[in-house]
Amino acid sequence: MIGAGHAGLAMSRCLTERSIDHVVLERGEVANSWRTERWDSLRLLTPNWQSRLPGFGYEGDDPDGYRTIPEVVDFLSRYAEMIAAPVQTRSRVSSLTPADKGFAVVTQTGSWRCRAVVLATGACNIARVPAIAAAVPPHVATISSMDYRNPRQLDEGGVLVVGASATGTQLADEIHRSGRPVTLSVGEHVRAPRVYRGKDIQWWMDATGLHDERYDAVDDIDRVRRLPSLQLAGSPERRTLDLNALTGIGVRLVGRIAGISEGKAQFSGSLHNNCAMADLKMNRLLGTIDEWATSKGLDGEVDPPHRLAPTEVESAPPLGLDLQAGRIRTILWATGYRPDYSWLEVPILDRKGQVRHDGGVTEHPGLYLMGMQFLRRRKSALIDGAGDDARDLSDHLAAYLKQASI
Ligand SMILES: Cc1cc2nc3c(=O)[nH]c(=O)nc-3n(C[C@H](O)[C@H](O)[C@H](O)COP(=O)(O)OP(=O)(O)OC[C@H]3O[C@@H](n4cnc5c(N)ncnc54)[C@H](O)[C@@H]3O)c2cc1C
């Protein structure tokens, strides 16, 4: 196993259950990404009850709350201890190459030979920053969501946050409330209420089976894997953090950033369309939930159906912003993340640098992948999704080892 996040730990537990000898190589400590790569105020956007791992779950008295980062680190560390995961910390893998009957793995602390490898190094190792970032005028500071920790890191003055999915909306909210006026650049996004008919939206996604939808049952898996995250935040008040909530506190919306030229940012004219599309898709999701609730006879037990107000967008949002005028002091790129496979010397990457795989089984025998968006199910990248994927893939891996040893 490479990586001791929740995906690697879930797989380790499944391999132990099958008596498969293994080691988990981790460059930092258990839950390293949560320790080193998240902003201070982040809470999980999945409720406590939903962090289920094989043989482990939430036992506290706040199942509907949302964990803080120290709580996530504690949860995963306790899991590693409970399952006695054979983790070698401080063991960054610097190369993985095919070798006779398996693989050769080089780490900073030594070399390993093994018959099979599971890549559980995470989907979010590097901030995905668009190439136009190079054209930002030098007096405007730039930072990515990966390096952002809290508003005190930023100069006083205006901030352009680019990207309006879970990360961008949460950071726009926090930064604007810190007294730095935020302009938010909005592209395609997925809108959702935090609570619907008295239940968390994640409860509905779970109960209706939407989270269990399989990768081989959707029409365009490549597109679905690229979809932005739900616009959600975990807060003690269970607030819906959508664009209306942001404009309500004074955040200004502009379209998707299209370019930066001669010190001016240009935005596409698609803001109205993107917002209308997100409203439409959200209402479709809520309609699916309503139908399911009726079919299960739940209508008398949960609150009645309701709809959110359409996203409000000013009639002619600005198509340009002069970055030289001094109003914008910082640009924060909340434009997504990508994995880092710079150490992977097995030819399984596509031209976009992603591992080619069929539900986590790569085309190189004995090499598996965990923890990616919609790897095997809609929930695959969530903590809650690792268990089912690890069970499936450890079955495959066990069969592979058995057949390879004949
Ligand atoms: C901002 C943010 C918020 C999220 N919020 C939620 C949420 O609310 N609920 C939820 O369920 N999910 C959430 N996720 C998604 C998901 O849970 C995380 O991305 C999660 O960290 C992925 O788990 P993982 O085990 O696949 O990868 P990671 O947790 O990233 O673990 C990968 C591990 O591999 C190690 N590693 C990487 N490269 C090497 C190497 N070369 N050698 C050795 N070790 C290496 C890393 O140090 C790390 O410990 C969030 C993700 C992000 C980015």
Side-chain angles (χ1 to χ4, degrees):
M1 298 288 321
I2 310 179
H6 71 257
L9 296 174
M11 186 59 137
S12 171
R13 158 79 188 223
C14 291
L15 295 183
T16 302
E17 274 173 355
R18 286 161 180 71
S19 304
I20 295 174
D21 245 359
H22 65 283
V23 64
V24 184
L25 300 174
E26 166 55 54
R27 64 182 169 181
E29 301 293 328
V30 167
N32 184 56
S33 304
W34 297 102
R35 291 174 197 267
T36 62
E37 294 171 358
R38 308 282 190 258
W39 60 95
D40 299 344
S41 65
L42 178 65
R43 282 175 181 265
L44 286 193
L45 47 75
T46 42
N48 288 331
W49 60 263
Q50 204 184 12
S51 293
R52 297 170 288 207
L53 288 164
F56 201 57
Y58 183 70
E59 288 168 352
D61 55 7
D62 185 20
D64 294 324
Y66 309 94
R67 283 192 175 86
T68 61
I69 294 310
E71 288 166 348
V72 179
V73 170
D74 178 61
F75 176 74
L76 294 179
S77 305
R78 281 189 294 119
Y79 185 54
E81 249 173 64
M82 190 205 85
I83 62 172
V87 183
Q88 300 264 331
T89 57
R90 309 269 151 212
S91 299
R92 177 189 291 272
V93 171
S94 55
S95 96
L96 172 70
T97 45
D100 187 32
K101 291 190 188 152
F103 301 88
V105 186
V106 178
T107 77
Q108 65 204 95
T109 49
S111 299
W112 299 78
R113 295 294 289 265
C114 52
R115 306 256 303 282
V117 170
V118 182
L119 307 173
T121 46
C124 305
N125 309 123
I126 299 176
R128 195 189 285 275
V129 174
I132 53 167
V136 174
H139 63 274
V140 176
T142 60
I143 186 168
S144 78
S145 52
M146 200 95 176
D147 296 320
Y148 173 86
R149 292 293 172 270
N150 57 60
R152 294 186 302 281
Q153 272 172 296
L154 312 182
D155 290 339
E156 294 299 326
V159 179
L160 172 64
V161 175
V162 182
S165 292
T167 298
T169 48
Q170 290 181 37
L171 299 188
D173 182 59
E174 168 167 290
I175 293 168
H176 192 84
R177 286 176 192 275
S178 78
R180 295 163 179 82
V182 166
T183 303
L184 178 63
S185 167
V186 180
E188 183 184 0
H189 57 277
V190 187
R191 186 183 180 200
R194 176 74 268 181
V195 176
Y196 182 61
R197 301 183 68 178
K199 300 267 187 200
D200 197 288
I201 192 72
Q202 296 286 354
W203 184 89
W204 290 109
M205 303 277 293
D206 185 59
T208 53
L210 281 169
H211 266 325
D212 291 315
E213 202 177 348
R214 282 181 57 95
Y215 77 107
D216 44 10
V218 295
D219 284 342
D220 185 352
I221 187 62
D222 289 339
R223 169 161 164 73
V224 182
R225 283 182 175 146
R226 284 197 307 270
L227 278 182
S229 56
L230 285 180
Q231 248 174 14
L232 278 183
S235 67
E237 312 78 38
R238 307 176 86 195
R239 283 192 296 142
T240 291
L241 185 54
D242 58 8
L243 298 180
N244 282 351
L246 291 173
T247 50
I249 60 167
V251 170
R252 186 159 201 202
L253 306 183
V254 293
R256 183 188 164 84
I257 195 160
I260 298 176
S261 163
E262 294 174 5
K264 292 195 176 59
Q266 296 134 3
F267 305 109
S268 89
S270 59
L271 180 61
H272 279 276
N273 277 351
N274 275 328
C275 292
M277 189 58 77
D279 289 352
L280 186 86
K281 288 186 179 163
M282 174 181 67
N283 288 334
R284 229 185 265 154
L285 169 68
L286 300 184
T288 304
I289 289 173
D290 292 339
E291 278 169 28
W292 180 86
T294 302
S295 74
K296 297 289 171 197
L298 287 179
D299 282 331
E301 288 176 33
V302 294
D303 294 349
H306 55 91
R307 293 292 178 265
L308 280 69
T311 305
E312 273 179 49
V313 180
E314 60 184 291
S315 54
L319 295 175
L321 186 59
D322 187 354
L323 300 174
Q324 324 250 41
R327 281 194 318 258
I328 297 293
R329 302 296 304 278
T330 308
I331 297 181
L332 190 151
W333 302 106
T335 33
Y337 306 88
R338 64 186 171 86
D340 175 12
Y341 295 124
S342 52
W343 44 272
L344 180 63
E345 294 170 39
V346 187
I348 51 165
L349 298 185
D350 65 17
R351 55 192 173 80
K352 291 196 169 149
Q354 301 283 343
V355 171
R356 284 189 298 268
H357 68 94
D358 180 5
V361 180
T362 78
E363 60 202 34
H364 191 98
L367 187 53
Y368 297 86
L369 179 67
M370 285 279 298
M372 294 290 133
Q373 191 68 16
F374 226 130
L375 183 91
R376 295 184 68 81
R377 297 169 175 84
R378 190 178 293 279
K379 65 183 177 184
S380 282
L382 297 178
I383 294 172
D384 200 42
D388 284 344
D389 288 3
R391 279 184 274 269
D392 290 353
L393 290 173
S394 56
D395 280 347
H396 195 290
L397 192 153
Y400 168 75
L401 289 181
K402 199 168 166 200
Q403 161 251 306
S405 66
I406 296 172

